[in-house]
Amino acid sequence: MSEYWPTELRVSPDRQRLTVAFDDGQRFELSAEMLRVLSPSAEVQGHGPGQRVTVPGKRNVAIISVTPTGNYAVRIGFDDFHDTGIYTWAYLRELGEKGGELFAAYERELAEKGMTRDRSEKPR
């Protein structure tokens, strides 16, 4: 169980951001792109060490659904039909606290692989 509990989950009108507020007063605005490319799904993370893939071309992805999963997480659906990631409260908190550095690492991976945030291609 997470030590932090969300008090608010709100998708922006343009569907480009998810605001998450926690019971300790912390509030984070998470971009749809970051949520998508750092999805906790097996499709992105793989099934074991070293299997994670870099997902390009998601700069303009939008959130189309946020569905509760038990009392510990939400499933987020995106307009590219990806909807298998289960985002626990702890993972949303981690993205809020460390999202900048995690997204910077993602951008470095894109550059190293010759991929971009704008051109969609097969993840690798």
Side-chain angles (χ1 to χ4, degrees):
M1 287 288 182
S2 175
E3 64 183 279
Y4 302 107
W5 288 94
T7 57
E8 178 183 15
L9 292 169
R10 183 179 307 272
V11 177
S12 64
D14 65 1
R15 305 213 157 280
Q16 296 297 305
R17 293 172 309 287
L18 176 68
T19 299
V20 183
F22 288 92
D23 58 0
D24 66 347
Q26 289 292 311
R27 180 185 228 40
F28 304 101
E29 195 170 276
L30 308 173
S31 75
E33 180 185 17
M34 181 177 69
L35 290 164
R36 174 60 179 92
V37 302
L38 298 177
S39 171
S41 69
E43 176 186 328
V44 174
Q45 300 300 324
H47 293 283
Q51 292 185 352
R52 192 176 68 73
V53 297
T54 305
V55 181
K58 300 301 178 186
R59 183 187 300 268
N60 296 311
V61 73
I63 298 167
I64 59 171
S65 64
V66 178
T67 307
T69 301
N71 65 354
Y72 67 96
V74 290
R75 179 185 304 263
I76 300 176
F78 299 91
D79 66 356
D80 67 350
F81 305 108
H82 178 76
D83 68 354
T84 59
I86 304 294
Y87 296 77
T88 64
W89 308 143
Y91 189 57
L92 289 172
R93 179 70 178 225
E94 179 183 354
L95 290 175
E97 292 175 345
K98 299 178 182 174
E101 63 191 73
L102 294 170
F103 196 77
Y106 161 74
E107 290 182 299
R108 285 191 300 276
E109 288 175 16
L110 283 176
E112 290 167 4
K113 295 179 178 184
M115 303 162 89
T116 74
R117 293 171 58 199
D118 297 306
R119 188 179 66 246
S120 187
E121 59 183 277
K122 186 177 180 180
R124 48 187 156 118

